[in-house]
Amino acid sequence: MEYEAVIGLEVHAQLKTQTKTFCGCATTFAREPNINVCPVCIGMPGVLPVLNRNVVVYACMLAMAVRGEISRRSVFARKNYFYPDLPKGYQISQYELPVNRGGMIHIQLDGADRDIRLNRIHIEEDAGKLMHNQDGTSYVDFNRSGIPLLEIVSEPDLSTPDEAIAYLKKLRTILLYLGVCDGNMEEGSLRCDANVSVRPRGEARLGVKTELKNMNSFRFIHKALDYEIQRQTEVLGRGGTISQETRLWDESSGTTRSMRSKEEAHDYRYFPEPDLLTLEVSDDLLEEARRGVPELPDAKAGRFTAEYGLPAYDAEVLTASRDLAGYFETVVGSFDRPKAVSNWIMSEMLRFIKDIDTEVKDFRVTPDRTAKLLGLIDDGTISGKIAKGVYEQMVSTGKEPDALIKELGLEQISSESSLREVIAPILEQNRKEVGQYKAGKEKLFGFFVGQVMKATAGKANPSVVNDLLKKMLREEKT
Ligand code: ADP
Ligand code: ZN
Ligand code: MG
């Protein structure tokens, strides 16, 4: 029998607010444990939570970006469980009435378009972090306790690990465009639990799912899903049954292993948080959120193809981040040949960004310098090939392109009289080839071009060389 997989993802995105969800503590990275803490976020008795308005603004921005349905009234709930990183004994979350229902994330894979439906987005607070020592003792760091999270729950609409990754990448890009989350999976500011089941192909009912945890990169999520789909398929294939459970990805063995079964699942005993009022989203707040939503990746990519005539592939690469898209548009603003700019960014700039492991916003070569360099190719000052070398120098030295070209004597030689002086001795020294060429061996033309390029260290203007060589060869006597 043939089986197909069904995947639904639960993503936690840490919000980049300045302060925590329910107190005034900073959310910034702290070098020492328990620096960013107060009685509220370490759960002292008698304290009261006060909701950070920006958390709601950010939640609404994401809801708008995915075209979800914002609940004008939603309710905070206590999710009760005991764990040392949770001093209150409960996490403030949302349960029956989340801040957003529905919405879509559009993905593209192998040329096919799909809209992945969202079930909900809700607000919750993060827990602290346990630090386990070699000697068996454990400590608790509450710096993270109370940092705001959005939980984004998809419908079980994904059917392959590749689709799951495309969905996650798109969601991450949207969060980065909105500027509400830094999207760092290794550091845990974007975390994903993956629910997966398999069923006979064509079967309408969903199979029993397992929930996978402990994957902190796209690569691990992909590997864990691959492994788990294969495991479940094998179990069902030999007539076994899948038990509903939570499984942990173990990178060292490349497998998932059972962490807790359904019987051991927590009963969170959710109930409405009595210390917080119903969350009412005002018109003002909605307006503020709307103003915070920029042009999003899909819309931007669509505009790049329409407005600049770029291929869809270029548009997608260039809109992968807001900074890169902005960089492209700034260059085009002063050098109006979009496809040439796109080619340069994709083949040269991105390679350097990757090699020196930097970010677009920190990249040394500013958009106006890139525009200048492209202009110098365009007006024939340097060839495209020489430009690549100049660009490399621009990256390493931070100098202006024209200054570098002067300094290194790289101006393209376009003047006919100068090139005549180069070509004449070449023809003189290669009488035999000149004779053969004139006798009809036309492919020798490339040989002469090569000689001229060699003699000028690549600086001769190719099109001038072409015309001039033809003319001078015609004038040669045999
Ligand atoms: P739970 O009650 O275990 O939390 P939910 O119904 O709330 O389950 O769904 C949690 C996540 O699991 C959602 O992303 C959902 O799309 C996904 N999911 C639910 N059922 C399945 C299934 N049978 N196979 C794969 N994913 C599923
Ligand atoms: Zn605090
Ligand atoms: Mg659930």
Side-chain angles (χ1 to χ4, degrees):
M1 198 179 316
E2 226 195 305
Y3 291 92
E4 66 180 6
V6 174
I7 300 166
L9 301 177
E10 295 169 291
V11 172
H12 284 95
Q14 232 175 43
L15 296 181
K16 283 202 304 188
T17 50
Q18 288 188 317
T19 56
K20 293 184 178 179
T21 324
F22 300 114
C23 63
C25 291
T27 55
T28 42
F29 176 79
R31 229 167 288 108
E32 264 179 77
N34 299 310
I35 296 290
N36 299 335
V37 295
C38 75
V40 173
C41 56
I42 55 172
M44 299 297 274
V47 297
L48 287 173
V50 177
L51 178 61
N52 177 347
R53 186 171 186 276
N54 276 336
V55 172
V56 186
V57 174
Y58 286 6
C60 290
M61 282 166 63
L62 180 60
M64 287 171 181
V66 299
R67 284 187 232 119
E69 192 188 315
I70 294 170
S71 317
R72 295 300 287 259
R73 296 165 68 86
S74 65
V75 173
F76 286 100
R78 285 191 185 179
K79 178 177 179 176
N80 299 282
Y81 64 91
F82 172 77
Y83 204 65
D85 64 7
L86 190 72
K88 293 200 295 284
Y90 59 87
Q91 178 189 28
I92 303 180
S93 180
Q94 295 189 303
Y95 189 55
E96 279 164 347
L97 282 170
V99 70
N100 171 82
R101 282 188 198 284
M104 306 268 188
I105 293 198
H106 172 247
I107 60 169
Q108 233 178 356
L109 206 68
D110 307 323
D113 285 85
R114 288 201 63 197
D115 279 323
I116 306 304
R117 292 169 305 153
L118 298 185
N119 175 283
R120 59 192 268 141
I121 298 171
H122 68 248
I123 297 168
E124 61 186 34
E125 56 175 344
D126 214 340
K129 228 181 210 167
L130 291 186
M131 300 161 63
H132 302 289
N133 283 0
Q134 297 274 308
D135 64 4
T137 57
S138 292
Y139 292 87
V140 199
D141 174 8
F142 291 117
N143 284 336
R144 200 178 70 177
S145 167
I147 288 187
L149 302 173
L150 290 182
E151 179 169 337
I152 303 124
V153 184
S154 84
E155 292 292 349
D157 279 358
L158 299 153
S159 45
T160 63
D162 283 348
E163 274 188 0
I165 300 303
Y167 166 91
L168 285 170
K169 286 191 168 163
K170 190 53 157 299
L171 173 56
R172 178 172 181 273
T173 306
I174 292 171
L175 289 164
L176 292 176
Y177 262 65
L178 295 173
V180 300
C181 170
D182 70 22
N184 192 324
M185 298 191 78
E186 274 77 21
E187 287 172 13
S189 35
L190 192 66
R191 314 195 279 267
C192 173
D193 297 337
N195 297 271
V196 56
S197 61
V198 301
R199 62 182 170 189
R201 193 171 288 282
E203 165 71 58
R205 269 177 314 160
L206 293 174
V208 174
K209 72 175 165 80
T210 60
E211 180 175 349
L212 310 181
K213 287 181 179 291
N214 198 35
M215 305 141 318
N216 67 348
S217 69
F218 290 130
R219 201 163 57 87
F220 292 171
I221 294 167
H222 197 286
K223 281 163 86 175
L225 282 170
D226 265 339
Y227 174 86
E228 184 62 13
I229 290 167
Q230 196 172 356
R231 186 190 71 84
Q232 291 188 15
T233 305
E234 270 169 29
V235 171
L236 293 183
R238 66 174 127 86
T241 50
I242 302 298
S243 36
Q244 189 178 328
E245 61 187 356
T246 302
R247 299 176 69 88
L248 285 185
W249 168 248
D250 176 29
E251 173 55 18
S252 58
S253 63
T255 62
T256 63
R257 67 184 147 80
S258 182
M259 179 177 105
R260 61 171 175 256
S261 67
K262 189 181 177 183
E263 289 71 39
E264 297 156 323
H266 297 135
D267 175 356
Y268 295 117
R269 297 175 183 273
Y270 281 98
F271 63 85
E273 166 62 64
D275 289 342
L276 287 163
L277 294 172
T278 296
L279 170 57
E280 299 204 27
V281 174
S282 67
D283 292 344
D284 275 0
L285 191 145
L286 278 184
E287 187 43 41
E288 190 179 334
R290 195 162 288 124
R291 279 198 305 271
V293 179
E295 182 182 34
L296 293 165
D298 284 349
K300 210 186 264 294
R303 184 168 63 76
F304 277 21
T305 53
E307 192 173 313
Y308 300 117
L310 293 179
Y313 175 75
D314 294 43
E316 197 191 318
V317 173
L318 295 174
T319 54
S321 85
R322 223 173 137 181
D323 285 344
L324 186 63
Y327 191 103
F328 166 79
E329 291 205 277
T330 313
V331 179
V332 170
S334 30
F335 180 74
D336 192 19
R337 286 191 38 212
K339 181 58 182 158
V341 175
S342 165
N343 286 348
W344 192 272
I345 290 181
M346 295 198 307
S347 64
E348 300 301 314
M349 175 175 170
L350 290 182
R351 184 160 53 82
F352 281 107
I353 296 248
K354 201 170 159 203
D355 282 358
I356 56 185
D357 193 21
T358 185
E359 312 263 341
V360 172
K361 66 172 170 29
D362 304 324
F363 192 51
R364 214 168 190 182
V365 182
T366 53
D368 63 302
R369 287 184 183 182
T370 300
K372 255 190 217 159
L373 181 71
L374 294 175
L376 291 168
I377 304 174
D378 214 41
D379 69 14
T381 307
I382 50 170
S383 69
K385 197 162 164 215
I386 295 275
K388 290 183 183 174
V390 174
Y391 191 66
E392 196 175 333
Q393 296 281 317
M394 288 165 71
V395 176
S396 59
T397 66
K399 287 186 185 165
E400 295 273 353
D402 23 18
L404 275 166
I405 290 165
K406 279 223 177 63
E407 197 180 308
L408 304 167
L410 292 175
E411 274 118 331
Q412 183 159 261
I413 309 168
S414 301
S415 106
E416 250 195 62
S417 56
S418 315
L419 286 172
R420 258 182 196 281
E421 281 170 35
V422 177
I423 296 174
I426 289 175
L427 299 184
E428 204 50 53
Q429 286 150 26
N430 297 283
R431 294 311 305 167
K432 197 177 85 200
E433 284 78 6
V434 170
Q436 289 172 336
Y437 175 82
K438 298 209 54 120
K441 199 169 172 190
E442 287 190 359
K443 64 170 190 238
L444 273 174
F445 190 73
F447 161 78
F448 293 113
V449 173
Q451 293 297 307
V452 177
M453 286 303 172
K454 203 167 138 195
T456 56
K459 288 184 291 181
N461 180 323
S463 77
V464 179
V465 168
N466 247 301
D467 294 348
L468 189 59
L469 248 180
K470 278 196 187 127
K471 201 158 96 194
M472 290 176 72
L473 280 163
R474 227 179 297 123
E475 291 162 357
E476 283 291 308
K477 299 196 184 53
T478 37

